[in-house]
Amino acid sequence: MVTPDAKRDAVAHACLVHGVSQRRACEALAVDRSSVRYRSLRPDDRELREAMKTVAAQRRRFGYRRIHVMLQRQGIEMNIKKLRRLYAEEKLQVRKRGGRKRALGTRRPIIVPDQPNQRWSLDFVSDAFTDGRRFRVLTVVDDHTRECLALVVDTSLSGRRVVRELDAIIAQRGRPSTVVSDNGTEFTSMAILRWSQDRQINWHYIAPGKPMQNGFIESFNGSFRDECLNETLFTSLAEARMRIGAWKDDYNDHRPHSSLGNLTPSEFASNLALEKQAA
C-alpha cells in the first residue's frame, strides 16, 4: 500500500470482511485515520471533462497535448498538467497499435526545405473496401508547409495518372524544384522520366529499403492511416473519395501540427505568404 487510495481501500476491506471498526482497522494497518476520512475538495470540472471527451470522441487518435490545443482554440484555457490528470481519470489514453520493426545503423537528419514548393514528397498507401477489393491512394505533401497537396484515390494508379495529377497541382500552386519518391514502378516509369525532363524538375529517388530518407511523407502516411483509413470502413470508391477528401481538408485547415508550433498547415502557409509580402 503506497497511495492514499490504496490505504483507504485496505481499511474499507478490513472493516467489511472482518467486521472491525474503522479505528481498529487503521491501527492494525498503520494508517492515519485523517487520511481515511479525508474527502477531496477539488471541483468535479464537469464542463471541462465534457469538452475534453467531446474532442477525444471526434479525434480518437489525438493525445492530451493535441486535445489541449483544440480546447484552446475553443477558448477553453486549462493548465496542461490538470488536463493530463483529467485525461487519465477519464481513461482517454490512445492505445498504441501494433509495433513495427525499427531500422538499425546510422541515420542522417533530413534537411528541411526553407520555402514552399521547394520539395514535394510522393508515396502510395493501400487499403481495402468492405467487400475485400483493394484500392490505392497517391499522397503528395509539401515538405516545408506540411500541406497535403493531393490524396488521389483509385483502384489503379499508373505513372501517366501520377503525371496528370501532378500537372493539376502545378496549375494551382506552381512548380516544385524537387520531387522525392521511392523506386516503385509507377515512379520509375517512362511517363515520369519524360515528364520530369520536360518540366525541368529534379526527381530524387531514395535508396532501396530506406523509407526514412523520405521521412516527411512517411510521417504523413502514418497519420493518414491512423486517423482516417484505420478509423473508417469504405464500401465504395465514391465513398472513399468523399471521406478521404474531407479528411484532407480537415488535415490542412483544422488539425494542429506539432512540428509547426501547433498551427495548421494552411495557417503556416498563410503566415509565410504574409511575411513574404511584408519583406
Side-chain angles (χ1 to χ4, degrees), residues 234-269:
F234 304 106
T235 59
S236 65
L237 185 60
E239 181 186 12
R241 286 172 172 168
M242 178 190 68
R243 290 180 175 268
I244 290 174
W247 184 87
K248 170 180 172 288
D249 294 338
D250 180 76
Y251 178 89
N252 284 334
D253 300 331
H254 302 289
R255 181 188 184 277
H257 205 298
S258 57
S259 65
L260 302 177
N262 286 324
L263 295 175
T264 67
S266 296
E267 290 171 342
F268 183 74

PDB file of all heavy atoms in Angstrom, residues 234-269:
ATOM      1  N   PHE A 234     -14.898   1.668 -45.782  1.00  0.00           N
ATOM      2  CA  PHE A 234     -15.259   2.180 -47.100  1.00  0.00           C
ATOM      3  C   PHE A 234     -16.005   1.098 -47.868  1.00  0.00           C
ATOM      4  O   PHE A 234     -15.501  -0.016 -48.027  1.00  0.00           O
ATOM      5  CB  PHE A 234     -14.005   2.591 -47.880  1.00  0.00           C
ATOM      6  CG  PHE A 234     -13.135   3.593 -47.169  1.00  0.00           C
ATOM      7  CD1 PHE A 234     -11.936   3.201 -46.591  1.00  0.00           C
ATOM      8  CD2 PHE A 234     -13.524   4.916 -47.066  1.00  0.00           C
ATOM      9  CE1 PHE A 234     -11.137   4.114 -45.933  1.00  0.00           C
ATOM     10  CE2 PHE A 234     -12.729   5.835 -46.405  1.00  0.00           C
ATOM     11  CZ  PHE A 234     -11.537   5.437 -45.837  1.00  0.00           C
ATOM     12  N   THR A 235     -17.200   1.440 -48.359  1.00  0.00           N
ATOM     13  CA  THR A 235     -17.998   0.466 -49.100  1.00  0.00           C
ATOM     14  C   THR A 235     -17.872   0.623 -50.610  1.00  0.00           C
ATOM     15  O   THR A 235     -18.198  -0.290 -51.355  1.00  0.00           O
ATOM     16  CB  THR A 235     -19.486   0.592 -48.713  1.00  0.00           C
ATOM     17  OG1 THR A 235     -19.936   1.930 -48.997  1.00  0.00           O
ATOM     18  CG2 THR A 235     -19.680   0.295 -47.237  1.00  0.00           C
ATOM     19  N   SER A 236     -17.432   1.796 -51.058  1.00  0.00           N
ATOM     20  CA  SER A 236     -17.328   2.037 -52.497  1.00  0.00           C
ATOM     21  C   SER A 236     -16.229   3.052 -52.768  1.00  0.00           C
ATOM     22  O   SER A 236     -15.756   3.744 -51.850  1.00  0.00           O
ATOM     23  CB  SER A 236     -18.657   2.562 -53.059  1.00  0.00           C
ATOM     24  OG  SER A 236     -18.961   3.836 -52.518  1.00  0.00           O
ATOM     25  N   LEU A 237     -15.844   3.158 -54.034  1.00  0.00           N
ATOM     26  CA  LEU A 237     -14.816   4.115 -54.430  1.00  0.00           C
ATOM     27  C   LEU A 237     -15.302   5.545 -54.217  1.00  0.00           C
ATOM     28  O   LEU A 237     -14.541   6.410 -53.762  1.00  0.00           O
ATOM     29  CB  LEU A 237     -14.423   3.886 -55.889  1.00  0.00           C
ATOM     30  CG  LEU A 237     -13.274   4.735 -56.440  1.00  0.00           C
ATOM     31  CD1 LEU A 237     -11.995   4.482 -55.654  1.00  0.00           C
ATOM     32  CD2 LEU A 237     -13.058   4.436 -57.919  1.00  0.00           C
ATOM     33  N   ALA A 238     -16.569   5.801 -54.523  1.00  0.00           N
ATOM     34  CA  ALA A 238     -17.113   7.154 -54.351  1.00  0.00           C
ATOM     35  C   ALA A 238     -17.096   7.568 -52.883  1.00  0.00           C
ATOM     36  O   ALA A 238     -16.738   8.705 -52.543  1.00  0.00           O
ATOM     37  CB  ALA A 238     -18.535   7.210 -54.900  1.00  0.00           C
ATOM     38  N   GLU A 239     -17.456   6.645 -52.002  1.00  0.00           N
ATOM     39  CA  GLU A 239     -17.441   6.960 -50.575  1.00  0.00           C
ATOM     40  C   GLU A 239     -16.013   7.193 -50.081  1.00  0.00           C
ATOM     41  O   GLU A 239     -15.759   8.105 -49.293  1.00  0.00           O
ATOM     42  CB  GLU A 239     -18.077   5.831 -49.771  1.00  0.00           C
ATOM     43  CG  GLU A 239     -18.121   6.118 -48.277  1.00  0.00           C
ATOM     44  CD  GLU A 239     -18.630   4.946 -47.459  1.00  0.00           C
ATOM     45  OE1 GLU A 239     -18.732   3.837 -48.018  1.00  0.00           O
ATOM     46  OE2 GLU A 239     -18.912   5.140 -46.270  1.00  0.00           O
ATOM     47  N   ALA A 240     -15.081   6.374 -50.564  1.00  0.00           N
ATOM     48  CA  ALA A 240     -13.683   6.539 -50.165  1.00  0.00           C
ATOM     49  C   ALA A 240     -13.161   7.909 -50.591  1.00  0.00           C
ATOM     50  O   ALA A 240     -12.480   8.597 -49.819  1.00  0.00           O
ATOM     51  CB  ALA A 240     -12.834   5.424 -50.769  1.00  0.00           C
ATOM     52  N   ARG A 241     -13.468   8.320 -51.799  1.00  0.00           N
ATOM     53  CA  ARG A 241     -13.009   9.628 -52.275  1.00  0.00           C
ATOM     54  C   ARG A 241     -13.612  10.755 -51.450  1.00  0.00           C
ATOM     55  O   ARG A 241     -12.925  11.729 -51.117  1.00  0.00           O
ATOM     56  CB  ARG A 241     -13.376   9.792 -53.745  1.00  0.00           C
ATOM     57  CG  ARG A 241     -12.500   8.968 -54.685  1.00  0.00           C
ATOM     58  CD  ARG A 241     -13.009   8.994 -56.105  1.00  0.00           C
ATOM     59  NE  ARG A 241     -12.075   8.358 -57.027  1.00  0.00           N
ATOM     60  CZ  ARG A 241     -12.358   8.036 -58.276  1.00  0.00           C
ATOM     61  NH1 ARG A 241     -13.575   8.290 -58.773  1.00  0.00           N
ATOM     62  NH2 ARG A 241     -11.455   7.462 -59.035  1.00  0.00           N
ATOM     63  N   MET A 242     -14.893  10.620 -51.095  1.00  0.00           N
ATOM     64  CA  MET A 242     -15.556  11.673 -50.325  1.00  0.00           C
ATOM     65  C   MET A 242     -14.963  11.784 -48.913  1.00  0.00           C
ATOM     66  O   MET A 242     -14.597  12.870 -48.460  1.00  0.00           O
ATOM     67  CB  MET A 242     -17.052  11.382 -50.231  1.00  0.00           C
ATOM     68  CG  MET A 242     -17.829  12.401 -49.406  1.00  0.00           C
ATOM     69  SD  MET A 242     -19.524  11.882 -49.087  1.00  0.00           S
ATOM     70  CE  MET A 242     -19.251  10.491 -47.978  1.00  0.00           C
ATOM     71  N   ARG A 243     -14.835  10.651 -48.231  1.00  0.00           N
ATOM     72  CA  ARG A 243     -14.347  10.666 -46.846  1.00  0.00           C
ATOM     73  C   ARG A 243     -12.873  11.058 -46.769  1.00  0.00           C
ATOM     74  O   ARG A 243     -12.464  11.808 -45.875  1.00  0.00           O
ATOM     75  CB  ARG A 243     -14.572   9.303 -46.196  1.00  0.00           C
ATOM     76  CG  ARG A 243     -16.041   8.984 -45.913  1.00  0.00           C
ATOM     77  CD  ARG A 243     -16.195   7.625 -45.268  1.00  0.00           C
ATOM     78  NE  ARG A 243     -17.573   7.358 -44.899  1.00  0.00           N
ATOM     79  CZ  ARG A 243     -18.101   7.637 -43.717  1.00  0.00           C
ATOM     80  NH1 ARG A 243     -17.352   8.204 -42.790  1.00  0.00           N
ATOM     81  NH2 ARG A 243     -19.358   7.352 -43.442  1.00  0.00           N
ATOM     82  N   ILE A 244     -12.078  10.551 -47.686  1.00  0.00           N
ATOM     83  CA  ILE A 244     -10.653  10.884 -47.677  1.00  0.00           C
ATOM     84  C   ILE A 244     -10.449  12.344 -48.058  1.00  0.00           C
ATOM     85  O   ILE A 244      -9.580  13.034 -47.511  1.00  0.00           O
ATOM     86  CB  ILE A 244      -9.882   9.931 -48.617  1.00  0.00           C
ATOM     87  CG1 ILE A 244      -9.854   8.526 -48.005  1.00  0.00           C
ATOM     88  CG2 ILE A 244      -8.462  10.426 -48.878  1.00  0.00           C
ATOM     89  CD1 ILE A 244      -9.252   7.463 -48.901  1.00  0.00           C
ATOM     90  N   GLY A 245     -11.259  12.852 -48.987  1.00  0.00           N
ATOM     91  CA  GLY A 245     -11.190  14.273 -49.325  1.00  0.00           C
ATOM     92  C   GLY A 245     -11.550  15.154 -48.142  1.00  0.00           C
ATOM     93  O   GLY A 245     -10.923  16.198 -47.915  1.00  0.00           O
ATOM     94  N   ALA A 246     -12.558  14.739 -47.367  1.00  0.00           N
ATOM     95  CA  ALA A 246     -12.938  15.508 -46.177  1.00  0.00           C
ATOM     96  C   ALA A 246     -11.818  15.486 -45.140  1.00  0.00           C
ATOM     97  O   ALA A 246     -11.542  16.494 -44.477  1.00  0.00           O
ATOM     98  CB  ALA A 246     -14.227  14.944 -45.583  1.00  0.00           C
ATOM     99  N   TRP A 247     -11.157  14.327 -44.999  1.00  0.00           N
ATOM    100  CA  TRP A 247     -10.044  14.245 -44.046  1.00  0.00           C
ATOM    101  C   TRP A 247      -8.891  15.143 -44.494  1.00  0.00           C
ATOM    102  O   TRP A 247      -8.248  15.794 -43.661  1.00  0.00           O
ATOM    103  CB  TRP A 247      -9.559  12.801 -43.920  1.00  0.00           C
ATOM    104  CG  TRP A 247      -8.495  12.646 -42.880  1.00  0.00           C
ATOM    105  CD1 TRP A 247      -8.661  12.427 -41.548  1.00  0.00           C
ATOM    106  CD2 TRP A 247      -7.065  12.743 -43.090  1.00  0.00           C
ATOM    107  NE1 TRP A 247      -7.445  12.376 -40.909  1.00  0.00           N
ATOM    108  CE2 TRP A 247      -6.441  12.563 -41.824  1.00  0.00           C
ATOM    109  CE3 TRP A 247      -6.267  12.969 -44.211  1.00  0.00           C
ATOM    110  CZ2 TRP A 247      -5.055  12.594 -41.667  1.00  0.00           C
ATOM    111  CZ3 TRP A 247      -4.891  13.003 -44.048  1.00  0.00           C
ATOM    112  CH2 TRP A 247      -4.299  12.811 -42.792  1.00  0.00           C
ATOM    113  N   LYS A 248      -8.631  15.207 -45.796  1.00  0.00           N
ATOM    114  CA  LYS A 248      -7.570  16.076 -46.322  1.00  0.00           C
ATOM    115  C   LYS A 248      -7.855  17.538 -45.977  1.00  0.00           C
ATOM    116  O   LYS A 248      -6.960  18.272 -45.531  1.00  0.00           O
ATOM    117  CB  LYS A 248      -7.462  15.904 -47.831  1.00  0.00           C
ATOM    118  CG  LYS A 248      -6.552  16.920 -48.536  1.00  0.00           C
ATOM    119  CD  LYS A 248      -6.509  16.653 -50.034  1.00  0.00           C
ATOM    120  CE  LYS A 248      -5.784  17.762 -50.782  1.00  0.00           C
ATOM    121  NZ  LYS A 248      -6.568  18.993 -50.844  1.00  0.00           N
ATOM    122  N   ASP A 249      -9.083  17.981 -46.166  1.00  0.00           N
ATOM    123  CA  ASP A 249      -9.433  19.366 -45.831  1.00  0.00           C
ATOM    124  C   ASP A 249      -9.259  19.625 -44.339  1.00  0.00           C
ATOM    125  O   ASP A 249      -8.773  20.691 -43.929  1.00  0.00           O
ATOM    126  CB  ASP A 249     -10.877  19.660 -46.254  1.00  0.00           C
ATOM    127  CG  ASP A 249     -11.045  19.623 -47.779  1.00  0.00           C
ATOM    128  OD1 ASP A 249     -10.039  19.792 -48.496  1.00  0.00           O
ATOM    129  OD2 ASP A 249     -12.185  19.416 -48.236  1.00  0.00           O
ATOM    130  N   ASP A 250      -9.674  18.658 -43.525  1.00  0.00           N
ATOM    131  CA  ASP A 250      -9.532  18.811 -42.077  1.00  0.00           C
ATOM    132  C   ASP A 250      -8.064  18.855 -41.681  1.00  0.00           C
ATOM    133  O   ASP A 250      -7.663  19.653 -40.816  1.00  0.00           O
ATOM    134  CB  ASP A 250     -10.233  17.654 -41.362  1.00  0.00           C
ATOM    135  CG  ASP A 250     -10.123  17.747 -39.854  1.00  0.00           C
ATOM    136  OD1 ASP A 250     -10.839  18.574 -39.268  1.00  0.00           O
ATOM    137  OD2 ASP A 250      -9.309  17.003 -39.276  1.00  0.00           O
ATOM    138  N   TYR A 251      -7.243  18.020 -42.313  1.00  0.00           N
ATOM    139  CA  TYR A 251      -5.803  17.979 -42.012  1.00  0.00           C
ATOM    140  C   TYR A 251      -5.145  19.321 -42.333  1.00  0.00           C
ATOM    141  O   TYR A 251      -4.341  19.837 -41.548  1.00  0.00           O
ATOM    142  CB  TYR A 251      -5.149  16.865 -42.821  1.00  0.00           C
ATOM    143  CG  TYR A 251      -3.648  16.763 -42.634  1.00  0.00           C
ATOM    144  CD1 TYR A 251      -3.112  15.980 -41.616  1.00  0.00           C
ATOM    145  CD2 TYR A 251      -2.764  17.449 -43.468  1.00  0.00           C
ATOM    146  CE1 TYR A 251      -1.738  15.886 -41.426  1.00  0.00           C
ATOM    147  CE2 TYR A 251      -1.393  17.364 -43.290  1.00  0.00           C
ATOM    148  CZ  TYR A 251      -0.884  16.581 -42.271  1.00  0.00           C
ATOM    149  OH  TYR A 251       0.478  16.506 -42.096  1.00  0.00           O
ATOM    150  N   ASN A 252      -5.493  19.889 -43.467  1.00  0.00           N
ATOM    151  CA  ASN A 252      -4.872  21.149 -43.884  1.00  0.00           C
ATOM    152  C   ASN A 252      -5.391  22.358 -43.112  1.00  0.00           C
ATOM    153  O   ASN A 252      -4.629  23.289 -42.822  1.00  0.00           O
ATOM    154  CB  ASN A 252      -5.091  21.378 -45.379  1.00  0.00           C
ATOM    155  CG  ASN A 252      -4.180  20.518 -46.245  1.00  0.00           C
ATOM    156  OD1 ASN A 252      -3.107  20.120 -45.822  1.00  0.00           O
ATOM    157  ND2 ASN A 252      -4.627  20.227 -47.452  1.00  0.00           N
ATOM    158  N   ASP A 253      -6.678  22.353 -42.762  1.00  0.00           N
ATOM    159  CA  ASP A 253      -7.311  23.576 -42.258  1.00  0.00           C
ATOM    160  C   ASP A 253      -7.630  23.570 -40.763  1.00  0.00           C
ATOM    161  O   ASP A 253      -7.841  24.643 -40.191  1.00  0.00           O
ATOM    162  CB  ASP A 253      -8.612  23.839 -43.025  1.00  0.00           C
ATOM    163  CG  ASP A 253      -8.364  24.019 -44.522  1.00  0.00           C
ATOM    164  OD1 ASP A 253      -7.267  24.486 -44.887  1.00  0.00           O
ATOM    165  OD2 ASP A 253      -9.271  23.692 -45.323  1.00  0.00           O
ATOM    166  N   HIS A 254      -7.698  22.405 -40.125  1.00  0.00           N
ATOM    167  CA  HIS A 254      -8.152  22.367 -38.738  1.00  0.00           C
ATOM    168  C   HIS A 254      -7.232  21.586 -37.799  1.00  0.00           C
ATOM    169  O   HIS A 254      -7.175  21.894 -36.619  1.00  0.00           O
ATOM    170  CB  HIS A 254      -9.559  21.752 -38.653  1.00  0.00           C
ATOM    171  CG  HIS A 254     -10.578  22.493 -39.468  1.00  0.00           C
ATOM    172  ND1 HIS A 254     -11.052  23.743 -39.115  1.00  0.00           N
ATOM    173  CD2 HIS A 254     -11.202  22.166 -40.632  1.00  0.00           C
ATOM    174  CE1 HIS A 254     -11.923  24.153 -40.023  1.00  0.00           C
ATOM    175  NE2 HIS A 254     -12.031  23.225 -40.953  1.00  0.00           N
ATOM    176  N   ARG A 255      -6.533  20.588 -38.306  1.00  0.00           N
ATOM    177  CA  ARG A 255      -5.737  19.725 -37.435  1.00  0.00           C
ATOM    178  C   ARG A 255      -4.425  20.413 -37.058  1.00  0.00           C
ATOM    179  O   ARG A 255      -3.636  20.762 -37.925  1.00  0.00           O
ATOM    180  CB  ARG A 255      -5.426  18.411 -38.167  1.00  0.00           C
ATOM    181  CG  ARG A 255      -4.617  17.400 -37.388  1.00  0.00           C
ATOM    182  CD  ARG A 255      -4.233  16.248 -38.309  1.00  0.00           C
ATOM    183  NE  ARG A 255      -3.533  15.205 -37.628  1.00  0.00           N
ATOM    184  CZ  ARG A 255      -2.229  15.207 -37.377  1.00  0.00           C
ATOM    185  NH1 ARG A 255      -1.506  16.258 -37.733  1.00  0.00           N
ATOM    186  NH2 ARG A 255      -1.656  14.183 -36.779  1.00  0.00           N
ATOM    187  N   PRO A 256      -4.145  20.599 -35.753  1.00  0.00           N
ATOM    188  CA  PRO A 256      -2.876  21.230 -35.366  1.00  0.00           C
ATOM    189  C   PRO A 256      -1.697  20.312 -35.652  1.00  0.00           C
ATOM    190  O   PRO A 256      -1.788  19.096 -35.482  1.00  0.00           O
ATOM    191  CB  PRO A 256      -3.040  21.466 -33.857  1.00  0.00           C
ATOM    192  CG  PRO A 256      -4.049  20.448 -33.429  1.00  0.00           C
ATOM    193  CD  PRO A 256      -4.989  20.271 -34.579  1.00  0.00           C
ATOM    194  N   HIS A 257      -0.594  20.898 -36.110  1.00  0.00           N
ATOM    195  CA  HIS A 257       0.599  20.141 -36.478  1.00  0.00           C
ATOM    196  C   HIS A 257       1.707  20.510 -35.496  1.00  0.00           C
ATOM    197  O   HIS A 257       2.131  21.655 -35.438  1.00  0.00           O
ATOM    198  CB  HIS A 257       1.015  20.477 -37.913  1.00  0.00           C
ATOM    199  CG  HIS A 257       1.799  19.398 -38.580  1.00  0.00           C
ATOM    200  ND1 HIS A 257       3.018  18.972 -38.110  1.00  0.00           N
ATOM    201  CD2 HIS A 257       1.538  18.633 -39.676  1.00  0.00           C
ATOM    202  CE1 HIS A 257       3.479  18.011 -38.890  1.00  0.00           C
ATOM    203  NE2 HIS A 257       2.593  17.777 -39.841  1.00  0.00           N
ATOM    204  N   SER A 258       2.175  19.533 -34.725  1.00  0.00           N
ATOM    205  CA  SER A 258       3.131  19.828 -33.657  1.00  0.00           C
ATOM    206  C   SER A 258       4.438  20.409 -34.191  1.00  0.00           C
ATOM    207  O   SER A 258       5.047  21.268 -33.550  1.00  0.00           O
ATOM    208  CB  SER A 258       3.420  18.565 -32.842  1.00  0.00           C
ATOM    209  OG  SER A 258       3.909  17.517 -33.677  1.00  0.00           O
ATOM    210  N   SER A 259       4.892  19.961 -35.364  1.00  0.00           N
ATOM    211  CA  SER A 259       6.155  20.469 -35.904  1.00  0.00           C
ATOM    212  C   SER A 259       6.031  21.889 -36.440  1.00  0.00           C
ATOM    213  O   SER A 259       7.035  22.527 -36.752  1.00  0.00           O
ATOM    214  CB  SER A 259       6.666  19.543 -37.017  1.00  0.00           C
ATOM    215  OG  SER A 259       5.795  19.554 -38.123  1.00  0.00           O
ATOM    216  N   LEU A 260       4.808  22.394 -36.549  1.00  0.00           N
ATOM    217  CA  LEU A 260       4.578  23.764 -37.000  1.00  0.00           C
ATOM    218  C   LEU A 260       4.168  24.671 -35.841  1.00  0.00           C
ATOM    219  O   LEU A 260       3.541  25.706 -36.050  1.00  0.00           O
ATOM    220  CB  LEU A 260       3.502  23.794 -38.091  1.00  0.00           C
ATOM    221  CG  LEU A 260       3.766  22.956 -39.348  1.00  0.00           C
ATOM    222  CD1 LEU A 260       2.580  23.038 -40.307  1.00  0.00           C
ATOM    223  CD2 LEU A 260       5.043  23.410 -40.050  1.00  0.00           C
ATOM    224  N   GLY A 261       4.493  24.282 -34.628  1.00  0.00           N
ATOM    225  CA  GLY A 261       4.090  25.079 -33.473  1.00  0.00           C
ATOM    226  C   GLY A 261       2.605  25.026 -33.223  1.00  0.00           C
ATOM    227  O   GLY A 261       2.003  25.994 -32.761  1.00  0.00           O
ATOM    228  N   ASN A 262       1.987  23.875 -33.546  1.00  0.00           N
ATOM    229  CA  ASN A 262       0.552  23.635 -33.374  1.00  0.00           C
ATOM    230  C   ASN A 262      -0.315  24.523 -34.263  1.00  0.00           C
ATOM    231  O   ASN A 262      -1.501  24.725 -33.979  1.00  0.00           O
ATOM    232  CB  ASN A 262       0.134  23.784 -31.904  1.00  0.00           C
ATOM    233  CG  ASN A 262       0.591  22.613 -31.058  1.00  0.00           C
ATOM    234  OD1 ASN A 262       0.607  21.471 -31.521  1.00  0.00           O
ATOM    235  ND2 ASN A 262       0.976  22.884 -29.835  1.00  0.00           N
ATOM    236  N   LEU A 263       0.270  25.057 -35.329  1.00  0.00           N
ATOM    237  CA  LEU A 263      -0.516  25.702 -36.374  1.00  0.00           C
ATOM    238  C   LEU A 263      -0.968  24.629 -37.356  1.00  0.00           C
ATOM    239  O   LEU A 263      -0.384  23.550 -37.448  1.00  0.00           O
ATOM    240  CB  LEU A 263       0.310  26.751 -37.121  1.00  0.00           C
ATOM    241  CG  LEU A 263       0.792  27.971 -36.337  1.00  0.00           C
ATOM    242  CD1 LEU A 263       1.691  28.829 -37.217  1.00  0.00           C
ATOM    243  CD2 LEU A 263      -0.382  28.780 -35.831  1.00  0.00           C
ATOM    244  N   THR A 264      -2.026  24.920 -38.094  1.00  0.00           N
ATOM    245  CA  THR A 264      -2.399  24.028 -39.185  1.00  0.00           C
ATOM    246  C   THR A 264      -1.495  24.331 -40.383  1.00  0.00           C
ATOM    247  O   THR A 264      -0.924  25.425 -40.478  1.00  0.00           O
ATOM    248  CB  THR A 264      -3.859  24.238 -39.592  1.00  0.00           C
ATOM    249  OG1 THR A 264      -4.002  25.548 -40.167  1.00  0.00           O
ATOM    250  CG2 THR A 264      -4.788  24.111 -38.392  1.00  0.00           C
ATOM    251  N   PRO A 265      -1.333  23.389 -41.309  1.00  0.00           N
ATOM    252  CA  PRO A 265      -0.531  23.683 -42.499  1.00  0.00           C
ATOM    253  C   PRO A 265      -1.014  24.912 -43.264  1.00  0.00           C
ATOM    254  O   PRO A 265      -0.203  25.696 -43.773  1.00  0.00           O
ATOM    255  CB  PRO A 265      -0.677  22.404 -43.330  1.00  0.00           C
ATOM    256  CG  PRO A 265      -0.874  21.330 -42.321  1.00  0.00           C
ATOM    257  CD  PRO A 265      -1.716  21.959 -41.243  1.00  0.00           C
ATOM    258  N   SER A 266      -2.319  25.118 -43.343  1.00  0.00           N
ATOM    259  CA  SER A 266      -2.847  26.291 -44.046  1.00  0.00           C
ATOM    260  C   SER A 266      -2.468  27.579 -43.332  1.00  0.00           C
ATOM    261  O   SER A 266      -2.092  28.573 -43.970  1.00  0.00           O
ATOM    262  CB  SER A 266      -4.370  26.186 -44.178  1.00  0.00           C
ATOM    263  OG  SER A 266      -4.740  25.085 -44.978  1.00  0.00           O
ATOM    264  N   GLU A 267      -2.569  27.579 -41.994  1.00  0.00           N
ATOM    265  CA  GLU A 267      -2.187  28.768 -41.224  1.00  0.00           C
ATOM    266  C   GLU A 267      -0.697  29.058 -41.391  1.00  0.00           C
ATOM    267  O   GLU A 267      -0.296  30.219 -41.552  1.00  0.00           O
ATOM    268  CB  GLU A 267      -2.520  28.552 -39.752  1.00  0.00           C
ATOM    269  CG  GLU A 267      -4.002  28.540 -39.435  1.00  0.00           C
ATOM    270  CD  GLU A 267      -4.297  28.116 -38.023  1.00  0.00           C
ATOM    271  OE1 GLU A 267      -3.404  27.511 -37.383  1.00  0.00           O
ATOM    272  OE2 GLU A 267      -5.413  28.367 -37.541  1.00  0.00           O
ATOM    273  N   PHE A 268       0.114  28.016 -41.366  1.00  0.00           N
ATOM    274  CA  PHE A 268       1.554  28.190 -41.517  1.00  0.00           C
ATOM    275  C   PHE A 268       1.883  28.768 -42.888  1.00  0.00           C
ATOM    276  O   PHE A 268       2.689  29.692 -43.010  1.00  0.00           O
ATOM    277  CB  PHE A 268       2.252  26.843 -41.315  1.00  0.00           C
ATOM    278  CG  PHE A 268       3.750  26.913 -41.380  1.00  0.00           C
ATOM    279  CD1 PHE A 268       4.472  27.458 -40.335  1.00  0.00           C
ATOM    280  CD2 PHE A 268       4.435  26.438 -42.489  1.00  0.00           C
ATOM    281  CE1 PHE A 268       5.868  27.529 -40.388  1.00  0.00           C
ATOM    282  CE2 PHE A 268       5.818  26.502 -42.554  1.00  0.00           C
ATOM    283  CZ  PHE A 268       6.538  27.053 -41.498  1.00  0.00           C
ATOM    284  N   ALA A 269       1.239  28.236 -43.943  1.00  0.00           N
ATOM    285  CA  ALA A 269       1.483  28.733 -45.299  1.00  0.00           C
ATOM    286  C   ALA A 269       1.016  30.181 -45.444  1.00  0.00           C
ATOM    287  O   ALA A 269       1.679  30.998 -46.101  1.00  0.00           O
ATOM    288  CB  ALA A 269       0.772  27.847 -46.312  1.00  0.00           C
TER     289      ALA A 269
END
